[in-house]
Amino acid sequence: MRLKIIRSFAQLNVAILLLLIIAGFSILGTIIEQDQTIQYYQQNYSEIFSPLDISFGNILLFFGLDHVYKTWWFLSLLFLFGTCLISCTFTQQLPALRIARRYNFKTSKTEFKRQEYQTILGTKYFSTCLENFKQKKYTIFQQQQIVYTYKGILGRFAPIIVHVSMLLILLGNTIAAWGSFNAQELIAKGEIFQVQNTISKSFFTNIPDYPIRVNDFWIEYGPTNNIKQFYSDLSVLNQTGNELSRKTISVNFPLRFKTLTLYQTDWNAIGLRVKLGDKQYQLPLVSLNKSKNLWVTWIPTSETGQTGLTFISNSLNGTFSLYNEVGTFIGTYNLGEKIIQNIDISVVDIITETGLQIKTDPGIPLIYFGFGLLMISSLISYFSFTQFWLAKKDDQLFIGGTSNRAKLNLRLEFLSLTVPYLSKN
């Protein structure tokens, strides 16, 4: 009964069906944003299904489509597909490999007629044909007047390697689902933080407690004041504050430290440092109309705050504009420049914060290794497994050959072995 169940999982149609289902849900997981807040799905997928009066966002949350790759049913599909691969490997691929390596003699004329290519020569060519097989690096088994030869056994390993690589990929995905986490942090320049704002985590997630320092943040602008790239200079520290790793990250160039990966994803300007006399003040910046590149604040020009200037900037390159209390444009200034002649006041710095995505994925090495094996197995699969049989019977020499692929090469191989002797007959 157990063997029957195992063989039922080894069926190709079962494996293809499971693979299609997994691919379908993987596509859904790619289309639907993963690991967002409940409010996000309720707001962005608020369509109502009548007459059920249920929003699409609630349906996504109910079935776990907001975290497809971590749901119990998706992991169960991976387990069933892995069971299919293991069953097929042990019930079909390994026995086929053992049979391929085993000698398999053919003696009757009927057996030779079943081969893709077959002919009959004189028995005097038996030793010559055998020598040709040796020169062509065939593995030869001989029992008196009967010979079995093969070449390209490596191609028989390709399906097994494919199964092993896919199992590694499935295992890597499972480990990632159970042990990964994803966090978002907005940190001001010069601050030290630890990962706290986790968006998603799993049952066996181990969140590292390394302190991380934002040494600096800056933006590279193009000739038309467009943003080309933004950078964060980060340091990973130990518990005593010593630096363990440091790197300047940008979009698509993260910092990797052990299992931790920090990506540059966002940025913002949150305040100003203003020097008034011998004192410094920190003022908040506000974005206008939810614009990413337009900030405004009020700069008092006296300690009482009764008079002041309106600060407006659309970049972080150190240039800003000022307006008086009635909205009259005063001028454009740079950081550190004195802005009122009779008052010692200047804008010292624009306080920025960097947006970081922090994640760990312990299954990534296995996934990469699995895909590497999959590419290797694809190359190995191009090696054709070629077999030839010879048998001396009475005054005839029977020759037959077959191959699992590269049929044209098999034909050329067969002709090179037989045509010279056929012409002599």
Side-chain angles (χ1 to χ4, degrees):
M1 180 62 71
R2 288 195 297 268
L3 185 59
K4 186 176 181 180
I5 294 174
I6 292 174
R7 285 179 176 172
S8 65
F9 275 103
Q11 299 298 319
L12 180 62
N13 54 355
V14 175
I16 291 176
L17 177 62
L18 286 171
L19 186 60
L20 289 175
I21 295 173
I22 292 172
F25 283 117
S26 298
I27 292 171
L28 275 179
T30 304
I31 296 173
I32 301 171
E33 296 86 346
Q34 300 290 289
D35 298 317
Q36 301 295 326
T37 62
I38 294 176
Q39 292 77 15
Y40 175 87
Y41 295 101
Q42 291 175 341
Q43 292 174 4
N44 291 277
Y45 298 91
S46 58
E47 296 85 357
I48 302 297
F49 285 90
S50 299
L52 300 177
D53 196 29
I54 300 175
S55 71
F56 186 47
N58 288 332
I59 293 176
L60 295 182
L61 294 171
F62 179 79
F63 288 104
L65 297 179
D66 60 318
H67 56 284
V68 171
Y69 310 111
K70 300 177 183 178
T71 56
W72 65 268
W73 46 265
F74 187 81
L75 294 176
S76 299
L77 288 172
L78 296 184
F79 175 78
L80 290 175
F81 185 60
T83 304
C84 286
L85 294 176
I86 294 172
S87 302
C88 182
T89 300
F90 283 97
T91 61
Q92 296 182 19
Q93 300 299 335
L94 287 176
L97 179 62
R98 284 194 295 266
I99 292 172
R101 297 185 65 185
R102 205 179 295 155
Y103 58 86
N104 179 20
F105 296 120
K106 298 186 184 302
T107 57
S108 67
K109 187 176 182 180
T110 303
E111 290 177 313
F112 278 91
K113 285 185 176 181
R114 292 173 185 163
Q115 306 310 312
E116 295 181 64
Y117 294 97
Q118 52 82 28
T119 190
I120 300 174
L121 300 176
T123 55
K124 61 182 179 180
Y125 300 117
F126 179 81
S127 59
T128 308
C129 290
L130 194 60
E131 184 62 29
N132 287 338
F133 283 121
K134 290 180 181 179
Q135 293 177 0
K136 292 179 180 291
K137 307 299 182 182
Y138 277 81
T139 301
I140 301 173
F141 296 92
Q142 183 177 2
Q143 190 177 73
Q144 295 181 353
Q145 308 299 318
I146 306 170
V147 174
Y148 167 61
T149 70
Y150 69 79
K151 183 171 67 173
I153 192 65
L154 190 61
R156 284 295 195 179
F157 284 92
I160 298 174
I161 299 176
V162 168
H163 289 182
V164 171
S165 62
M166 295 184 73
L167 286 171
L168 289 174
I169 294 170
L170 294 178
L171 181 60
N173 278 282
T174 303
I175 293 175
W178 287 87
S180 63
F181 82 91
N182 191 8
Q184 294 276 4
E185 301 285 353
L186 281 170
I187 307 298
K189 181 175 65 175
E191 296 291 329
I192 297 176
F193 71 97
Q194 289 181 319
V195 179
Q196 294 181 345
N197 186 29
T198 56
I199 297 174
S200 64
K201 60 181 180 179
S202 303
F203 297 102
F204 302 105
T205 296
N206 181 23
I207 299 178
D209 57 354
Y210 305 113
I212 302 169
R213 183 176 61 220
V214 180
N215 302 309
D216 198 2
F217 173 81
W218 68 95
I219 294 176
E220 181 183 355
Y221 289 92
T224 58
N225 208 33
N226 61 308
I227 296 176
K228 293 178 62 177
Q229 184 64 277
F230 43 100
Y231 304 88
S232 293
D233 183 7
L234 304 178
S235 293
V236 181
L237 312 176
N238 60 15
Q239 298 303 321
T240 59
N242 294 321
E243 189 174 79
L244 300 176
S245 178
R246 182 170 182 172
K247 183 179 179 181
T248 298
I249 68 170
S250 58
V251 177
N252 298 326
F253 296 94
L255 165 64
R256 290 185 172 89
F257 178 75
K258 296 184 177 179
T259 60
L260 203 64
T261 306
L262 293 91
Y263 297 91
Q264 179 73 71
T265 58
D266 203 359
W267 61 275
N268 198 9
I270 59 173
L272 291 181
R273 285 195 179 94
V274 178
K275 183 179 179 182
L276 180 59
D278 58 351
K279 296 181 180 180
Q280 281 197 15
Y281 299 90
Q282 186 168 306
L283 306 175
L285 275 177
V286 179
S287 296
L288 285 179
N289 299 323
K290 297 182 179 180
S291 174
K292 186 69 177 177
N293 299 317
L294 189 62
W295 300 274
V296 63
T297 193
W298 170 260
I299 302 177
T301 55
S302 64
E303 294 188 3
T304 61
Q306 297 297 321
T307 59
L309 302 171
T310 300
F311 170 97
I312 296 179
S313 178
N314 62 353
S315 70
L316 301 182
N317 59 6
T319 303
F320 55 89
S321 300
L322 294 176
Y323 297 79
N324 62 16
E325 294 91 340
V326 295
T328 304
F329 176 71
I330 297 177
T332 301
Y333 300 88
N334 296 315
L335 292 178
E337 186 177 352
K338 189 175 181 180
I339 56 180
I340 299 178
Q341 295 301 323
N342 59 344
I343 301 176
D344 186 15
I345 183 172
S346 61
V347 178
V348 178
D349 192 17
I350 299 175
I351 303 171
T352 57
E353 63 179 3
T354 179
L356 303 174
Q357 182 182 28
I358 307 165
K359 61 191 300 186
T360 183
D361 195 343
I364 285 293
L366 271 180
I367 294 173
Y368 285 170
F369 183 63
F371 275 110
L373 275 183
L374 192 61
M375 290 187 287
I376 292 173
S377 64
S378 299
L379 295 175
I380 293 176
S381 65
Y382 284 99
F383 289 94
S384 58
F385 181 61
T386 306
Q387 299 168 284
F388 279 96
W389 291 267
L390 285 77
K392 285 175 64 176
K393 195 170 184 181
D394 298 330
D395 58 346
Q396 293 180 319
L397 174 62
F398 295 95
I399 299 179
T402 187
S403 179
N404 63 338
R405 62 178 71 247
K407 303 300 182 181
L408 179 59
N409 288 339
L410 172 65
R411 180 181 178 85
L412 295 175
E413 189 94 326
F414 184 81
L415 291 175
S416 67
L417 290 168
T418 59
V419 167
Y421 312 121
L422 287 172
S423 61
K424 294 179 181 178
N425 285 344

